Amino acid sequence: MVRATQLLHAQREPVPTRAAATVLLMRDTPAGPELLMTRRSASAGFAPGAYVFPGGGIDPADADAHAIAARRPTQTDLHLTQAIAAIRESFEELGVLLARHSDGRFAGPADIGALDRRAPFAEQCRARGLTLAAEQMFLLAHWITDRDLPRRFDVPFLVARMPEGQQPQADESEQFEPVWVRPADALARHQAGSFFMIFPTIRTLERLRGFDSVDAVLAACASEEPLWRSCPRAGWLAGQEARFMEQDMPYGELQLVSPDGQIVHHLDWRSDQAVPLLKNVQRLTAPNPGFMTGPGTNSYLVGDASTGYLAIDPGPDDPQHLRRLWQAAGGDIRLIVCTHSHPDHSPGARPLQALCDRRPPILGLPSQPTARPGSSFTPDRALADGEVLALEGGAEGHRLMVIHTPGHAANHLCLVLLEDGLLFSGDHILNGSTTVVDPPDGEMTAYLDSLDRLAAACGEHGIEFILPAHGHVLGSALQAIAQLKAHRLQREAKVIAAMRARPGGSLQDWVPLAYDDVPPKVWPLAQRSLLAHVQRIQALGLA
């Protein structure tokens, strides 16, 4: 866990959440499924003027109405209460009533007209012999309002089919202008500026636009588990607030820099100055963006003014980049470590060393004979697996443990900042893409074994965050590693299938089958990792 003393910003307790429920009422049309949305009052305390799905806070009376609600055998008491709240809110806000008579008929206009939207809901339904159709409510998603907002809700997004024969009518106090809209159309209108929506609504519609019927949506929700859970985080991007879900690439970085959710971190890539991530960690991205390097190679500085600094991956031999890195450390670089010998990582080590009065040693592993000609590297001293590098002085020190991780390159290593649970992963783990494993210096079985070593280190040292050489910080380190390994094994299965489909074929024959989910322009690069998969498959006799 990151030491509180290393956080950049004083932390504050987020506002407590209030239990709520939201319902997505859907219907089928020849053009695809539509959802019922409504515009909130411009004076509303939450999301004023936004188009939303009906919903609101859960009342104590919702939990007391279980006796008049139908439920699925797998529906928990909590989910039943949430469904009842969503049914009540859809009636109070839009005059839509998901309830049945004793003979199974859905409530109709006469029943709706006989009920008072401002009177106790469950009592009125009970008096008319109506059973709430809570078993028709399915859990789609679970959202928790962002930590930075002054009003926060813990809210399931439920989905149900719109009852036939009913017409929505807004209450004209909280909700206005009920409208049926296809997800894609709502998103297009929002993009055009005529249909304002808030982040959870937008992301929900993005997920739903891939479904071709209401039945398909309900079938996807049959497990009683949400299809996704999210408590978004926000940062600054191009001068504007930008919000992200857990699977978005910047999420882990926001989690590291601002655990309490304050909007304080800028996500723009900077090659002109170092970006502080913690008091003892800075990142300076080299000005070498490209298809292979993404936004550029991340050089990291670990340490502080009292301990001096350790530089990780100085990057290419770019004089301006190296001088900025030296300046960010106040000229006090004590150690230089290269995670591996590739030309976007290690060539800057000697010129950076020459800038420093202390001439810090260059550490790492020497390149192997299998390395390509442009990837030669000889450190001043080879690092031992498990060795700990220490920066000491002042009140706190910083210790980095070396883990040998061959696979992407034969001389690849990672570093663990022990006091703060941070993994500097070099190119072994990237954010936004999978690394290339390029034989002969790259080897797929070694790569997978190294992933297992890193997963074990996460458990042993409480590693929560991964700082890659390309891309933003990754959070949920163990989960990220597990997903990466699963992706590699899924790709291996596709390679095996391709080899069996075209026995005796070549890499050119197999790549369209094994990498049919990536653009053809990527296939020449993919062939490098394909070769690594093939060599592993043949060595293990898997095909």
Side-chain angles (χ1 to χ4, degrees), residues 51 231 256 264 271 393 406 428 467 470 513-514:
Y51 281 88
C231 179
L256 171 66
V264 291
S271 61
H428 203 83
L467 285 71
H470 305 279
L513 301 178

Side-chain angles (χ1 to χ4, degrees), residues 176-193:
F176 300 84
E177 303 173 16
V179 58
W180 286 100
V181 62
R182 294 171 57 243
D185 292 340
L187 292 167
R189 290 168 63 182
H190 172 77
Q191 188 69 25

Side-chain angles (χ1 to χ4, degrees), residues 199-451:
F199 182 83
T201 309
I202 295 168
R203 286 303 185 92
T204 300
L205 292 172
E206 288 173 347
R207 293 288 188 96
L208 289 176
R209 66 182 168 188
F211 290 91
D212 59 7
S213 69
V214 178
D215 279 343
V217 175
L218 298 180
C221 300
S223 70
E224 306 289 1
E225 287 293 322
L227 300 188
W228 70 91
R229 304 174 189 267
S230 184
C231 179
R233 290 182 176 274
W236 296 102
L237 188 62
Q240 296 183 336
E241 281 188 21
R243 297 190 181 271
F244 302 93
M245 294 171 64
E246 285 76 355
Q247 71 271 22
D248 295 328
M249 288 185 285
Y251 190 92
E253 184 157 320
L254 295 171
Q255 187 179 16
L256 171 66
V257 177
S258 184
D260 64 352
Q262 296 181 67
I263 308 178
V264 291
H265 186 59
H266 291 261
L267 292 161
D268 305 274
W269 290 105
R270 303 296 299 265
S271 61
D272 60 331
Q273 65 182 53
V275 174
L277 301 175
L278 295 169
K279 290 181 180 178
N280 61 337
V281 178
Q282 302 175 67
R283 178 185 65 213
L284 180 64
T285 303
N288 62 336
F291 183 73
M292 291 291 292
T293 56
T297 302
N298 292 330
S299 299
Y300 293 100
L301 290 171
V302 178
D304 56 54
S306 63
T307 64
Y309 295 85
L310 180 149
I312 301 173
D313 283 340
D317 184 0
D318 182 296
Q320 285 189 324
H321 172 70
L322 297 172
R323 180 159 289 276
R324 288 171 182 146
L325 192 62
W326 176 79
Q327 289 172 339
D332 189 11
I333 296 177
R334 308 285 180 89
L335 300 167
I336 299 172
V337 178
C338 296
T339 61
H340 60 297
S341 54
H342 286 170
D344 59 322
H345 289 259
S346 64
R350 292 293 171 194
L352 179 62
Q353 183 187 54
L355 286 175
C356 303
D357 293 336
R358 293 172 177 261
R359 290 194 63 83
I362 297 170
L363 308 176
L365 295 173
S367 51
Q368 298 299 300
T370 52
R372 294 181 180 274
S375 296
S376 61
F377 171 67
T378 304
D380 294 333
R381 181 172 69 81
L383 290 171
D385 186 37
E387 179 178 350
V388 175
L389 305 173
L391 294 170
E392 297 177 341
E396 297 186 85
H398 317 284
R399 296 175 302 138
L400 292 110
M401 186 182 73
V402 177
I403 302 179
H404 289 185
T405 51
H408 171 68
N411 68 331
H412 197 286
L413 59 82
C414 296
L415 296 168
V416 177
L417 181 53
L418 295 170
E419 288 84 0
D420 298 301
L422 304 181
L423 171 63
F424 295 89
S425 64
D427 276 0
H428 203 83
I429 299 172
L430 308 177
N431 189 346
S433 64
T434 53
T435 195
V436 174
V437 179
D438 186 12
D441 205 45
E443 205 272 323
M444 189 60 70
T445 295
Y447 178 83
L448 294 172
D449 290 344
S450 293
L451 283 181

Side-chain angles (χ1 to χ4, degrees), residues 121-198:
F121 174 69
E123 292 180 13
Q124 296 183 83
C125 291
R126 186 181 291 109
R128 292 188 65 82
L130 294 173
T131 298
L132 305 182
E135 89 286 1
Q136 298 297 311
M137 289 275 185
F138 292 87
L139 182 57
L140 174 73
H142 186 175
W143 290 90
I144 297 177
T145 308
D146 316 28
R147 296 164 181 83
D148 63 286
L149 296 179
R151 296 187 66 186
R152 302 184 66 221
F153 299 93
D154 185 329
V155 53
F157 275 35
L158 306 171
V159 61
R161 189 184 298 275
M162 176 72 176
E164 292 185 9
Q166 296 188 24
Q167 294 296 326
Q169 184 175 352
D171 61 11
E172 301 297 326
S173 59
E174 293 186 23
Q175 309 292 345
F176 300 84
E177 303 173 16
V179 58
W180 286 100
V181 62
R182 294 171 57 243
D185 292 340
L187 292 167
R189 290 168 63 182
H190 172 77
Q191 188 69 25
S194 62
F195 201 79
F196 170 61
M197 298 183 293
I198 60 176

Side-chain angles (χ1 to χ4, degrees), residues 516-538:
D516 58 349
D517 55 340
V518 301
K521 66 180 182 181
V522 181
W523 290 351
L525 177 63
Q527 282 190 36
R528 301 185 191 178
S529 291
L530 174 60
L531 174 59
H533 277 295
V534 169
Q535 289 178 346
R536 167 180 156 83
I537 289 165
Q538 291 174 336

